[in-house]
Amino acid sequence: MTRPMRVLGIDPGLTRMGMGVVEGSVGRPLTLVDVNVLRTSSQLPVAERLVSIEIGIDAWLDEHRPDAVAVERVFARSDSSTIMGTAQASAIALVCAARRGLPVALHTPSEVKAAVSGNGRADKAQVGAMVTRILRLDAPPKPADAADALALAITHIWRGGAQSRLDAAVAAARSRA
Amino acid sequence: MTRPMRVLGIDPGLTRMGMGVVEGSVGRPLTLVDVNVLRTSSQLPVAERLVSIEIGIDAWLDEHRPDAVAVERVFARSDSSTIMGTAQASAIALVCAARRGLPVALHTPSEVKAAVSGNGRADKAQVGAMVTRILRLDAPPKPADAADALALAITHIWRGGAQSRLDAAVAAARSRA
């Protein structure tokens, strides 16, 4: 069994930034530690919105002391008007974690959907339902950004766990060689 | 005549970040204070590259103490593979300036080209030539990211100056009313 870890999942966005902290290890029930959505007003200049986001993430890193941070990987898509803001918000999440020396992982939306629901094309309702079940909640976290942040943290623990087991197996095989 | 100001112009990029400091005021010769290109290796994780950029910008803000920061406005374009990195790098520039309370302005590439060359569609060579002439340099700054950063700072002083004169005229008109 892998050592329990605490992960902060971040679903980046300039208007709504989902943040969810989950604790646990592979093969054991996971626990919701905290979940929140950070909002910034579109009336404010982008630079000020980014400073608000930085303050919010730093406060959560101080409060929850995660072992790792998992951020949704953002792709350039011409069909999205919010993609630049999402990329900018993700940069703040990455830099807040990395300057503390925390491990940072990027997971794509399909990796997250596949990890929590077994289907890389699951819709928001399915992801919300699986997060509810995995964390034994009474109702799906709202808004969707909150559920997505928790799904990122769950994905990271499960993928990290698999990687840890692989590392352990390799180390064991080497020690026998 | 407007009060002289010192402006840090930033041409954001994950691989090459142009930074140029220019001092002066509208209607007077402008002075080059310093120019540099911050580079980060594509071999490193994005989070670490963003931390390097943050350290580099903070060091320049400490050293040069600009009155304002001018950053190139980034647009989503489906034809660019580097656009996400550019957006992320720009977020770090914005947050470094804004959390110190420095005024931050965004200028589009065509605003910059129009300001320094009179032509919003000027090419890189024309912008480099005009920056060389305006700052009375011996040769165009290289690479283009350095010239673009200086062009942003020049644009900001000239546009800021026009705005200041407008503000002064409005204030004067009000005081006579």
Side-chain angles (χ1 to χ4, degrees):
Chain A
M1 200 185 77
T2 53
R3 195 174 59 82
M5 72 186 304
R6 178 177 280 209
V7 176
L8 169 60
I10 296 183
D11 181 28
L14 212 46
T15 302
R16 285 187 311 276
M17 183 105 163
M19 305 197 297
V21 182
V22 175
E23 196 171 71
S25 58
V26 179
R28 304 270 297 176
L30 302 182
T31 312
L32 167 70
V33 176
D34 206 349
V35 63
N36 194 20
V37 173
L38 207 70
R39 294 164 195 275
T40 73
S41 164
S42 59
Q43 307 288 316
L44 293 175
V46 172
E48 287 180 37
R49 300 175 77 180
L50 294 172
V51 171
S52 291
I53 288 172
E54 179 181 46
I55 292 169
I57 295 173
D58 272 334
W60 263 46
L61 291 172
D62 286 340
E63 186 181 342
H64 294 300
R65 308 246 160 228
D67 301 303
V69 177
V71 182
E72 185 173 298
R73 189 184 289 277
V74 188
F75 294 102
R77 282 185 305 263
S78 54
D79 62 335
S80 169
S81 62
T82 60
I83 193 70
M84 304 307 289
T86 305
Q88 291 179 313
S90 80
I92 304 306
L94 296 177
V95 95
C96 284
R99 74 181 164 218
R100 289 174 187 237
L102 288 175
V104 184
L106 296 164
H107 303 290
T108 67
S110 26
E111 285 166 349
V112 173
K113 289 171 184 174
V116 301
S117 78
N119 171 10
R121 296 182 171 196
D123 62 21
K124 292 221 171 276
Q126 287 172 296
V127 170
M130 286 308 299
V131 165
T132 308
R133 188 189 296 185
I134 293 164
L135 298 177
R136 290 151 292 128
L137 309 176
D138 295 329
K142 293 274 172 60
D145 314 78
D148 286 346
L150 292 169
L152 272 155
I154 293 166
T155 300
H156 188 76
I157 292 173
W158 285 353
R159 297 186 99 196
Q163 190 59 48
S164 302
R165 287 197 307 267
L166 195 64
D167 292 347
V170 169
R174 282 203 181 128
S175 72
R176 286 192 301 268
Chain B
M1 199 185 75
T2 53
R3 193 175 59 82
M5 72 186 305
R6 177 177 281 208
V7 176
L8 168 60
I10 296 183
D11 181 27
L14 212 44
T15 302
R16 287 187 309 278
M17 183 105 165
M19 304 196 297
V21 181
V22 175
E23 196 170 71
S25 58
V26 179
R28 304 271 297 175
L30 303 183
T31 312
L32 167 69
V33 177
D34 205 349
V35 65
N36 193 21
V37 174
L38 206 70
R39 294 166 197 273
T40 72
S41 164
S42 60
Q43 308 288 318
L44 294 175
V46 171
E48 286 179 37
R49 301 175 78 179
L50 294 172
V51 171
S52 290
I53 288 171
E54 180 180 46
I55 291 168
I57 295 172
D58 272 334
W60 264 46
L61 291 172
D62 286 340
E63 186 180 344
H64 294 300
R65 308 244 158 228
D67 300 304
V69 178
V71 182
E72 186 173 296
R73 190 185 290 277
V74 188
F75 293 102
R77 282 184 306 261
S78 54
D79 62 334
S80 169
S81 62
T82 60
I83 192 72
M84 303 308 290
T86 305
Q88 291 179 314
S90 80
I92 305 304
L94 296 177
V95 95
C96 284
R99 72 180 165 218
R100 290 175 187 237
L102 289 174
V104 184
L106 295 164
H107 303 291
T108 68
S110 28
E111 284 167 349
V112 173
K113 290 170 184 174
V116 300
S117 78
N119 170 10
R121 296 182 171 196
D123 63 20
K124 293 221 170 274
Q126 288 173 295
V127 170
M130 286 308 299
V131 166
T132 309
R133 187 188 297 185
I134 294 163
L135 299 177
R136 291 151 292 129
L137 309 177
D138 296 329
K142 292 273 171 59
D145 314 78
D148 287 345
L150 292 169
L152 270 156
I154 293 166
T155 301
H156 188 77
I157 292 172
W158 284 352
R159 297 186 98 195
Q163 190 60 47
S164 301
R165 286 197 308 269
L166 195 64
D167 292 347
V170 169
R174 280 202 182 129
S175 71
R176 285 192 303 269

